[in-house]
């Protein structure tokens, strides 16, 4: 059932890239930081906030290099890879800070180089590194990482997996149109482009429905079906798993043979180059997860997030003896899993969110290797859109969060216009994360924590008397920076 995963050329190409990177690293210390997460997890907001805080001397008390005053200056420089789109920092920052609008969705890979000049903590290092680190930030969709397991599956295994997931109770109704159509087609019939296109279309619609549905299910591979980029309409994307595959091999010229070939092309034209050219060259990685949205959507969404995260983490901790080790990054030594949007909770719940995220990560990583990158977990808000307050109700002090709901946002029937502020009771997470996961595993499901997710506008940035805008407020972004960069600025 398995097919060769990497070839000598993959290995050689990676070795070549790594050597080239190393050589330039000697002249210019560089850290390639991958930023990923499923769509809408908060990648663009995170990178914009990170860069803005470093460019404008943000408040970063838990980022030692900044706190001790060793960061001299940060500035943007042209990125090293000319073929990768630039992360349009200026546009995103202007939208978020001046217009107070969240950035648009970004559906592909992009890169930005930030140079950080610092004073080394030790005289030795000062002498050698010159106190200058090039931080190359690479933003890419987490959906693309979910393709890694495909490299170890032939078309039959891929079809079997896809079909059994599609028939699971939580997805069956969304997958029905595709399953029905596929049920009427004999895989051994002569290949026909119209069939291939129709099946690909229905399968893509099903993947899209999983994502858009309020069940908030994480995406399934192939990752490019929802984010095709310039491959839209190419044969490498015009295939679908066949749910009722016969055991006999595909006859020449059959639909099954055509699908098989295209599936293999997808792996060699899309998946492998992505891992080879991008993932294998990263040094550090942050994975953003929207655990709050999943908890809000229900138990299935949480289990599904776990499944997706487990696939994502296996890209950084391939496990010993894994056939995939040569394509995944052996360079990545630290991975940070950050549960985002913590500003939707009162600070008392930040540690609880972190505890739940840690448990999700532990559960997800129980299936993957234990060697490889070090994994850390954090609850964070790259941009803090709310502030905290208390209200008195019936003689009791109650914690609330205050912010400006987005235009058109409704809270218990009341419509907001994007100008008016309001205070809400944020959700309450269980003190003990076990309580939550018992619920996930239980046959009869007790109610989920009652989280009140309101979409707020980005915060109003205050100005000092001299008209200088203060940097973007955040929650624990400084801890993330310290973990990801701290040792490289020592
Ligand atoms: N309050 C708050 N909302 C956030 C934060 N980060 C992201 N969001 C919300 O999440 C949405 C998605 O954030 P993005 O940064 O665009 O997410 P992305 O991962 O780049 O999404 P794609 O480009 O679609 O893959 C934003 O429009 C915000 O509504 C945060 O730190 N605080
Ligand atoms: Mg984005």
């Amino acid at each position: 059932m398995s097919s060769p995963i990497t070839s000598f050329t993959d290995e050689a190409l990676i070795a070549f890239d790594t050597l080239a990177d190393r050589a330039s690293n000697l002249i210019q210390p560089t850290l390639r930081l991958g930023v990923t997460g499923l769509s809408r997890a908060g990648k663009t907001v995170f990178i914009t906030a990170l860069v803005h805080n470093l460019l404008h001397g943000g408040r970063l008390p838990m980022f030692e290099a900044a706190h001790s005053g060793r960061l001299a200056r940060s500035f943007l420089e042209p990125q090293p890879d000319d073929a990768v789109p630039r992360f349009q920092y200026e546009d995103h920052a202007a939208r978020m800070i001046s217009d107070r609008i969240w950035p648009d969705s970004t559906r592909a890979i992009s890169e930005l180089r930030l140079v950080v000049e610092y004073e080394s903590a030790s005289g030795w290092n000062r002498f050698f590194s010159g106190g200058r680190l090039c931080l190359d930030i690479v933003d890419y969709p987490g959906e693309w990482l979910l393709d890694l397991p495909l490299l170890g599956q032939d078309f039959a295994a891929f079809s079997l997996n896809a079909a059994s997931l599609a028939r699971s109770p939580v997805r069956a109704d969304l997958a029905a149109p595709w399953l029905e159509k596929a049920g009427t087609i004999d895989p051994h019939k002569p290949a026909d482009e119209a069939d291939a296109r129709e099946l690909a279309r229905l399968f893509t619609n099903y993947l899209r429905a999983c994502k858009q549905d309020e069940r908030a299910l994480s995406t399934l591979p192939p990752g490019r079906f929802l984010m095709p980029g310039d491959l839209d309409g190419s044969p490498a994307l015009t295939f679908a798993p066949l749910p009722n595959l016969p055991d006999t091999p595909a006859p020449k010229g059959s639909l099954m043979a055509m699908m098989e070939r295209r599936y293999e092309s997808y792996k060699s034209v899309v998946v492998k180059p992505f891992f080879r050219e991008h993932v294998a060259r990263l040094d550090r990685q942050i994975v953003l997860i929207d655990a709050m949205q999943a908890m809000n959507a229900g138990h299935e969404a949480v289990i599904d997030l776990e499944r997706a995260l487990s696939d994502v983490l296996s890209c950084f901790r391939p496990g010993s003896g894994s056939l995939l080790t040569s394509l995944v990054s052996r360079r990545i030594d630290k991975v940070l899993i950050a549960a985002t949007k913590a500003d939707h909770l009162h600070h008392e719940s930040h540690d609880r969110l972190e505890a739940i995220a840690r448990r999700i990560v532990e559960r997800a990583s129980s299936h993957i290797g234990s060697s490889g990158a070090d994994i850390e977990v954090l609850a964070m808000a790259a941009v803090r859109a709310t502030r905290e307050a208390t209200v008195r109700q019936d003689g009791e002090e109650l914690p609330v969060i205050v912010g400006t709901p987005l235009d058109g946002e409704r809270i218990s029937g009341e419509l907001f216009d994007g100008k008016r502020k309001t205070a809400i009771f944020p959700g309450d997470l269980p003190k003990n994360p076990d309580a939550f996961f018992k619920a996930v595993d239980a046959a009869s499901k007790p109610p989920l924590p009652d989280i009140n997710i309101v979409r707020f506008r980005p915060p109003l940035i205050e100005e000092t008397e001299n008209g200088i805008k203060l940097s973007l407020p955040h929650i624990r972004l400084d801890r993330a920076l310290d973990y990801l960069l701290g040792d490289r600025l020592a």
Side-chain angles (χ1 to χ4, degrees):
M1 292 279 264
S2 68
S3 51
I5 291 163
T6 52
S7 53
F8 172 70
T9 46
D10 290 326
E11 296 256 21
L13 283 168
I14 292 173
F16 181 77
D17 282 343
T18 304
L19 263 181
D21 285 345
R22 274 214 194 115
S24 72
N25 212 352
L26 282 181
I27 307 164
Q28 190 145 233
T30 304
L31 183 74
R32 278 180 92 84
L33 172 65
V35 178
T36 198
L38 300 176
S39 70
R40 312 318 284 147
K43 302 178 287 294
T44 308
V45 171
F46 170 77
I47 297 172
T48 307
L50 180 162
V51 173
H52 191 270
N53 272 283
L54 287 177
L55 288 181
H56 299 281
R59 279 201 65 239
L60 303 165
M62 302 299 279
F63 183 26
E64 192 276 329
H67 183 64
S68 60
R70 293 193 290 106
L71 293 188
R73 177 170 88 107
S74 299
F75 52 93
L76 297 173
E77 242 185 24
Q79 67 198 52
D81 304 285
D82 287 336
V84 179
R86 179 175 183 275
F87 180 88
Q88 298 300 2
Y89 164 74
E90 296 78 2
D91 299 354
H92 299 312
R95 265 177 79 93
M96 222 148 62
I97 294 164
S98 311
D99 307 340
R100 294 182 62 203
I101 307 175
W102 297 108
D104 281 333
S105 192
T106 44
R107 311 248 94 178
I109 190 163
S110 64
E111 182 180 304
L112 186 72
R113 170 168 280 191
L114 178 74
V115 181
V116 182
E117 286 181 350
Y118 64 98
E119 206 167 291
S120 177
S122 88
W124 248 153
N125 283 353
R126 211 170 317 175
F127 180 73
F128 279 114
S129 65
R132 190 184 144 102
L133 180 71
C134 294
L135 179 63
D136 289 333
I137 305 172
V138 184
D139 170 2
Y140 65 93
E143 283 78 3
W144 295 1
L145 289 177
L146 301 182
D147 278 344
L148 185 75
L150 299 187
L151 294 178
Q153 292 167 13
D154 62 8
F155 183 67
F158 164 65
S159 291
L160 202 69
N161 281 345
S164 74
L165 267 171
R167 290 185 181 120
S168 66
V170 61
R171 294 179 192 270
D173 59 322
L174 303 174
W178 166 63
L179 282 172
E180 254 162 50
K181 174 77 187 169
T184 65
I185 293 180
D186 173 11
H188 282 184
K189 74 176 283 234
D192 177 14
E193 190 61 41
D195 285 338
R197 281 182 53 186
E198 181 63 0
L199 286 171
R201 188 183 69 80
L202 290 170
F203 186 69
T204 308
N205 285 351
Y206 150 59
L207 296 183
R208 190 172 296 127
C210 292
K211 192 68 214 168
Q212 284 169 354
D213 191 79
E214 74 274 2
R215 279 166 265 186
L217 299 169
S218 302
T219 313
L220 298 171
R224 297 298 160 104
F225 275 37
L226 296 186
M227 299 185 191
D230 53 1
L231 286 169
D232 202 6
S234 65
L237 293 193
T238 312
F239 68 92
L242 293 170
N244 307 308
L245 275 189
D247 280 340
T248 42
K252 228 177 155 184
S254 66
L255 181 70
M256 180 176 163
M258 177 172 157
M259 295 290 208
E260 234 169 45
R261 198 185 57 247
R262 290 181 176 188
Y263 170 73
E264 292 302 328
S265 303
Y266 178 78
K267 293 199 290 185
S268 61
V269 180
V270 176
V271 185
K272 276 194 194 180
F274 167 65
F275 277 90
R276 201 168 58 210
E277 288 160 22
H278 300 294
V279 184
R281 288 174 61 205
L282 297 173
D283 300 301
R284 299 268 157 95
Q285 177 69 52
I286 178 167
V287 181
L288 302 169
I289 57 170
D290 195 342
M292 302 243 290
Q293 190 205 27
M295 286 190 278
N296 198 43
H299 296 95
E300 277 85 7
V302 175
I303 293 175
D304 207 58
L305 175 64
E306 242 173 69
R307 180 190 53 73
L309 196 59
S310 162
D311 283 348
V312 164
L313 290 179
S314 67
C315 299
F316 309 120
R317 264 203 194 166
S320 58
S322 164
L323 291 164
L324 304 169
T325 39
S326 53
L327 266 186
V328 301
S329 179
R330 272 171 292 191
R331 274 165 65 161
I332 294 184
D333 56 350
K334 286 182 172 194
V335 177
L336 181 63
I337 317 286
T340 54
K341 309 178 194 177
D343 55 334
H344 286 106
L345 297 169
H346 202 262
H347 72 266
E348 286 156 10
S349 283
H350 294 164
D351 286 338
R352 297 183 189 176
L353 175 63
E354 207 163 285
I356 290 177
R358 180 160 289 129
R359 195 57 64 87
I360 295 177
V361 171
E362 273 166 18
R363 289 163 60 104
S365 54
S366 63
H367 314 291
I368 61 167
S370 57
S371 65
D374 178 49
I375 296 177
E376 186 52 81
V377 182
L378 188 76
M380 176 186 84
V383 172
R384 173 176 208 151
T386 61
R387 60 181 182 76
E388 296 183 353
T390 48
V391 294
R392 281 191 85 76
Q393 203 174 44
D394 306 330
E396 233 190 308
E397 296 253 312
L398 292 171
V400 291
I401 53 174
V402 181
T404 314
L406 291 186
D407 190 8
E409 194 80 357
R410 242 174 226 288
I411 307 172
S412 9
E414 197 184 337
L415 185 67
F416 283 82
D417 60 359
K419 298 194 185 81
R420 197 154 47 92
K421 280 191 191 171
T422 191
I424 62 156
F425 297 110
D428 218 2
L429 298 178
K431 258 194 200 122
N432 177 355
D434 289 342
F436 180 76
F437 287 96
K438 257 191 216 114
V440 171
D441 296 324
S444 64
K445 303 204 185 307
L448 285 159
D450 185 19
I451 317 169
N452 209 343
I453 299 196
V454 172
R455 301 222 308 140
F456 292 105
R457 285 182 70 184
L460 183 67
I461 307 292
E462 285 153 38
E463 275 182 33
T464 61
E465 287 159 10
N466 324 331
I468 299 169
K469 288 217 167 198
L470 300 178
S471 62
L472 281 163
H474 61 83
I475 296 169
R476 300 184 179 177
L477 175 69
D478 46 353
R479 295 197 203 181
L481 289 175
D482 201 62
Y483 176 74
L484 292 167
L485 313 180
D487 59 331
R488 296 295 303 267
L489 301 171

